[in-house]
Amino acid sequence: MKVDALVEPVDSFVGEVGDTLVALAGTVPGRAAPDQLRADVALEAFRIAAAIVDADGRHGDAELAALIVAFAAHLPARIGLASPTSLRQAGLVTGARSFVERPSTLFEILAGHDAREGRRDAWRYYDLATRIAHVAAALDDHPSSDELATIDRLRATLLGAMDDAAQLAAATPSAVARGGSPQAQVVTAAPSAPAAPGTELPPVRPVAELLAELDRLTGLAPVKAEVRLVADLLQVQGMRRQRGLPVPQTSHHLVFTGNPGTGKTTVARLVAQIYRSLGVVSRGHLVETDRSGLVAGYVGQTAQRVTEVVTSALGGVLLIDEAYALVRGGGSDFGREAIDTLVKLIEDHRDDLVVIAAGYPEEMVEFIEANPGLRSRFPRTIHFPDYTTEELTAIFVSLCQRDAYRPTDEAVRAVRAFFDAQVRDKGFGNGRLARNLFEAAVARQAGRMVDLTETGATPSDDQLCGLEALDIGP
């Protein structure tokens, strides 16, 4: 990476964020002077870049030289005519990684103002800051896992601050009276089903919004971390590629393991859109299939069926559920033919197709070992853990909120007790179990309302919306 790689992203951050804060100078306690504000913004940009350089503790000469070139004009008193050696001796980068652990005062000001006024200045800070972070990581030939983890922590800190500001504004009557919807500035509506080939594509969604949507899924902390790591690595590789720097060849295909109902399809749909936003695929739609969609009963038909399914997924992501089923069967079974055909097609369309193979952990090892070509093409496995009782209860409550039902405290305790009593073995239903419990509760409540009307009474709105403990059960 060239020594001036950070100049443009730093200039953009200092210019745009500085202009915004100068315009809001009256909301910045004790920092109304424009020159002081711009100096604070420049220092903030330095801390973002330095946090990434400090992440792995190496502080190489090339990284420090890039910092000097980018910030000498913005922070002359601190950087001035510094050299990598003097910068290292002064300790200006040592410990900088801690900056990503909590939002700065300037960012909290932007997030709060956005939430109250329905603006998106904090999102622009987020975009510019993560760009600095990605370029800083790209200064190394091979970004370290520590650098990518620090980028992820920066992202989580900024998104968390925007969430906190939105919740505070939502609880303020004046914000509601203005018709503002602060949360809408942070949370985007769930996307409709991705467009199939031949249909008009929806606009490309920013990676930041897709990752924010991922973060708001219940549970799945290790899954979110893995997906964010993949997204960060792709962005850094993209920057290196644009500058003509070497980028190691990596496979984008994934293995998802876990029990049913753990959100594999939901995450796969978001991954497809993230891949589209980052240029890995052109369309970003998701095609779901399983053994029955790939394997035929007669010689010659399986290869044709696999080809048709893969063709429909070109430009997007093909999700093969229970992929291990392709290796089950006797000697005359055509599942192996399906795997062999799939491996060939993956190679033929490696520039515009991503395949996600999903299933139980142990069985997916059997699937990957079924063909040598699968092992090299599916290097990354993401495991989806079972939901905890609290997470399943949160899913149940969110389903109630979605459909305007209000469970009593006793009903929520009954829901929690129901989930606690379930055996967490292979095949545990997870989110599906929560949905089934919700639908059963609604059916029982409907029965109670019908019984009430048969007595000549008219249910009130509270009764029509209320779920009680006696409604909870399979």
Side-chain angles (χ1 to χ4, degrees):
M1 182 73 69
K2 295 180 179 179
V3 72
D4 63 351
L6 276 168
V7 171
E8 194 279 327
V10 166
D11 288 349
S12 295
F13 182 95
V14 174
E16 293 191 39
V17 177
D19 287 346
T20 299
L21 284 167
V22 166
L24 299 176
T27 69
V28 185
R31 298 186 179 183
D35 289 345
Q36 179 62 49
L37 278 173
R38 294 188 189 280
D40 289 344
V41 172
L43 182 58
E44 198 130 315
F46 177 82
R47 287 170 172 163
I48 293 167
I52 307 305
V53 172
D54 183 52
D56 56 14
R58 291 201 289 262
H59 306 171
D61 283 354
E63 295 174 306
L64 297 180
L67 289 178
I68 293 168
V69 171
F71 290 99
H74 295 294
L75 300 170
R78 287 175 176 260
I79 305 299
L81 301 176
S83 66
T85 299
S86 62
L87 198 63
R88 193 180 291 114
Q89 292 174 342
L92 292 182
V93 176
T94 302
R97 74 189 76 174
S98 63
F99 177 76
V100 305
E101 295 300 324
R102 51 192 173 276
S104 69
T105 300
L106 296 183
F107 184 76
E108 288 181 326
I109 289 169
L110 290 176
H113 188 259
D114 281 3
R116 293 188 300 272
E117 304 298 333
R119 295 177 58 86
R120 290 183 62 87
D121 295 324
W123 270 111
R124 187 55 182 159
Y125 176 113
Y126 174 101
D127 290 339
L128 294 166
T130 52
R131 185 170 172 228
I132 289 175
H134 285 126
V135 173
L139 294 171
D140 288 331
D141 289 343
H142 301 284
S144 69
S145 59
D146 290 332
E147 289 172 329
L148 296 176
T150 301
I151 294 174
D152 186 41
R153 183 56 191 156
L154 171 66
R155 175 186 292 115
T157 296
L158 298 181
L159 290 174
M162 286 191 280
D163 275 347
D164 291 345
Q167 292 171 13
L168 179 63
T172 304
S174 59
V176 177
R178 286 194 301 270
S181 179
Q183 190 70 11
Q185 299 302 317
V186 180
V187 182
T188 55
S192 57
T199 62
E200 184 177 353
L201 290 171
V204 175
R205 296 179 64 194
V207 174
E209 291 188 6
L210 294 168
L211 291 176
E213 185 174 327
L214 173 73
D215 285 340
R216 287 178 180 83
L217 297 178
T218 299
L220 304 178
V223 174
K224 297 170 183 176
E226 285 287 340
V227 173
R228 291 193 299 262
L229 183 65
V230 170
D232 288 334
L233 182 59
L234 286 172
Q235 289 179 82
V236 171
Q237 288 179 340
M239 291 175 181
R240 292 184 61 84
R241 190 175 292 109
Q242 289 173 2
R243 291 168 171 80
L245 297 170
V247 176
Q249 290 294 323
T250 56
S251 173
H252 304 306
H253 309 297
L254 302 168
V255 174
F256 284 0
T257 62
N259 276 329
T262 46
K264 293 187 290 293
T265 301
T266 299
V267 173
R269 186 168 289 114
L270 285 169
V271 166
Q273 294 180 69
I274 289 170
Y275 277 169
R276 180 192 177 199
S277 296
L278 295 176
V280 175
V281 295
S282 59
R283 297 183 59 82
H285 63 293
L286 181 73
V287 174
E288 302 175 54
T289 191
D290 55 15
R291 176 189 166 91
S292 65
L294 297 173
V295 178
Y298 300 95
V299 175
Q301 289 186 334
T302 292
Q304 179 181 350
R305 183 174 293 183
V306 173
T307 300
E308 291 173 351
V309 172
V310 168
T311 300
S312 71
L314 291 180
V317 171
L318 174 62
L319 174 63
I320 306 175
D321 195 22
E322 298 182 348
Y324 55 82
L326 293 173
V327 300
R328 303 289 174 85
S332 60
D333 185 75
F334 295 108
R336 300 279 177 165
E337 179 186 354
I339 293 175
D340 295 342
T341 305
L342 182 64
V343 169
K344 180 182 183 302
L345 291 172
I346 287 175
E347 181 60 25
D348 290 345
H349 302 288
R350 60 183 179 275
D351 294 331
D352 204 20
L353 173 70
V354 170
V355 177
I356 298 177
Y360 295 117
E362 296 82 3
E363 286 82 347
M364 289 307 297
V365 173
E366 182 182 357
F367 168 74
I368 294 299
E369 295 298 323
N371 185 299
L374 291 176
R375 287 195 296 271
S376 62
R377 289 169 176 81
F378 289 85
R380 185 184 294 271
T381 296
I382 299 179
H383 180 65
F384 287 65
D386 287 336
Y387 290 113
T388 65
T389 290
E390 289 305 314
E391 290 167 348
L392 289 169
T393 303
I395 292 172
F396 180 92
V397 171
S398 70
L399 292 171
C400 292
Q401 294 171 341
R402 181 196 66 185
D403 291 341
Y405 284 95
R406 293 189 293 273
T408 63
D409 291 343
E410 291 78 9
V412 173
R413 284 195 288 270
V415 168
R416 191 175 288 111
F418 173 83
F419 290 135
D420 271 339
Q422 302 305 306
V423 178
R424 306 298 179 97
D425 58 3
K426 181 179 178 180
F428 178 63
N430 287 286
R432 297 177 188 176
L433 182 64
R435 286 192 294 273
N436 291 341
L437 183 65
F438 170 71
E439 291 170 0
V442 168
R444 280 196 174 89
Q445 190 255 22
R448 288 196 296 108
M449 295 302 101
V450 170
D451 291 343
L452 186 62
T453 59
E454 289 178 350
T455 66
T458 300
S460 66
D461 287 352
D462 286 343
Q463 288 174 313
L464 287 171
C465 294
L467 292 181
E468 300 181 3
L470 57 87
D471 297 321
I472 306 303

